[in-house]
Amino acid sequence: MPKMKTSSAAAKRFKATGTGKLKRNKAYKSHILTKKTAKRKRNLRKPAITDKTNVKNMKKILPYM
């Protein structure tokens, strides 16, 4: 059986936690920041755990994570 290919785009965006969950960064933090409140921008800095509805697809494109 040949080796499976990892999606390099996904590998750059997701990291595995110690318990095997997928950690991701939040979107909407790159531009048009003047209209966003300081609280909203501060909360966008924090990483988030990938939702369980997406985990099955993520494990498929990240087979070695």
Side-chain angles (χ1 to χ4, degrees), residues 1-7 58-64:
M1 183 111 184
K3 289 194 274 187
M4 295 170 72
K5 288 247 180 162
T6 296
S7 165
M58 297 311 304
K59 296 284 185 185
K60 198 178 286 184
I61 62 174
L62 296 166
Y64 301 107

Side-chain angles (χ1 to χ4, degrees), residues 5-17:
K5 288 247 180 162
T6 296
S7 165
S8 54
K12 292 170 191 173
R13 288 168 173 80
F14 295 91
K15 298 281 177 262
T17 62

Side-chain angles (χ1 to χ4, degrees), residues 22 51-62:
L22 292 175
D51 195 64
K52 67 179 184 217
T53 57
N54 296 321
V55 167
K56 187 179 176 185
N57 289 331
M58 297 311 304
K59 296 284 185 185
K60 198 178 286 184
I61 62 174
L62 296 166

Side-chain angles (χ1 to χ4, degrees), residues 1 6 11 14 18-19 24 26 30 32 38 49-50 52 55 57 63:
M1 183 111 184
T6 296
F14 295 91
T19 55
R24 64 173 178 84
K26 293 179 182 171
S30 56
I32 315 175
I49 300 296
T50 304
K52 67 179 184 217
V55 167
N57 289 331

